[in-house]
Amino acid sequence: MTKGECVPTQDDERFMRMAIALATENVISGRGGPFGAVVVRDGTVLSTGVNQVTTTNDPTAHAEVSAIRNACRELGTFELTGATLYSSCEPCPMCLAAILWARCSRLFFGNTAQDAAQAGFDDSYFYEQVRQPADRRDLPTTNLLRGEAAANFSAWQTFAGRIPY
């Protein structure tokens, strides 16, 4: 095993099969892409999500992001410490960031990024762009009004009602 891996249990396999079934059903039903996700804590399914990018015209409507949104809404919190996310496919950079921001404790995935690329979902460009310094990305990116923008963080740091995240 490598750093960060854990030994899957029969429950982990059951929840992964659920994510895989959601992904397959999403395609067969015509509701979206071949991606499904399940969020579980203490053996209880908190939420599920499927890819709905093309049906909702929302490029952020990936299965993992949808499942996280659903779980957080249901629990009334923005963090999912102690939860495991099961994804039918290795998360793209956006989804991985969402999983990390939600503070999920574990992640299991079925298909790899290479499998996704072979099926027409190649995220390698996005991984490459995330690794680049801002001024070297393909998307023209310029730091603008940094001094003025600092007021946002000053306000946050002195705001008595802030909730750290």
Side-chain angles (χ1 to χ4, degrees):
M1 270 203 240
T2 61
K3 179 181 177 183
E5 278 189 299
C6 55
V7 177
T9 66
Q10 286 182 337
D11 281 343
D12 292 323
E13 291 179 4
R14 180 169 53 96
F15 294 127
M16 177 55 73
R17 285 188 180 97
M18 188 181 299
I20 293 166
L22 285 167
T24 303
E25 176 56 31
N26 202 45
V27 172
I28 292 169
S29 70
R31 289 190 296 254
F35 303 96
V38 179
V39 177
V40 176
R41 185 173 4 189
D42 298 327
T44 301
V45 174
L46 300 178
S47 69
T48 63
V50 293
N51 180 283
Q52 296 180 315
V53 170
T54 58
T55 55
T56 62
N57 295 318
D58 178 355
T60 69
H62 289 204
E64 299 92 335
V65 171
S66 297
I68 289 168
R69 287 177 179 162
N70 293 338
C72 289
R73 188 179 308 110
E74 181 68 27
L75 296 173
T77 185
F78 58 84
E79 60 90 20
L80 299 172
T81 301
T84 299
L85 192 138
Y86 300 86
S87 177
S88 62
C89 188
E90 184 174 356
C92 73
M94 176 184 68
C95 291
L96 180 58
I99 293 163
L100 292 168
W101 273 110
R103 294 174 180 79
C104 291
S105 296
R106 298 186 314 155
L107 166 66
F108 289 95
F109 63 88
N111 291 305
T112 66
Q114 293 79 16
D115 298 332
Q118 289 176 352
F121 299 93
D122 189 354
D123 294 335
S124 60
Y125 173 77
F126 301 105
Y127 283 103
E128 175 189 316
Q129 290 296 298
V130 167
R131 286 191 299 267
Q132 295 294 323
D135 63 343
R136 298 183 74 201
R137 294 182 190 137
D138 289 344
L139 175 68
T141 305
T142 304
N143 187 219
L144 182 64
L145 299 178
R146 182 177 178 198
E148 291 181 35
N152 308 131
F153 291 136
S154 294
W156 174 253
Q157 290 172 329
T158 60
F159 179 59
R162 76 175 182 237
I163 299 171
Y165 63 95

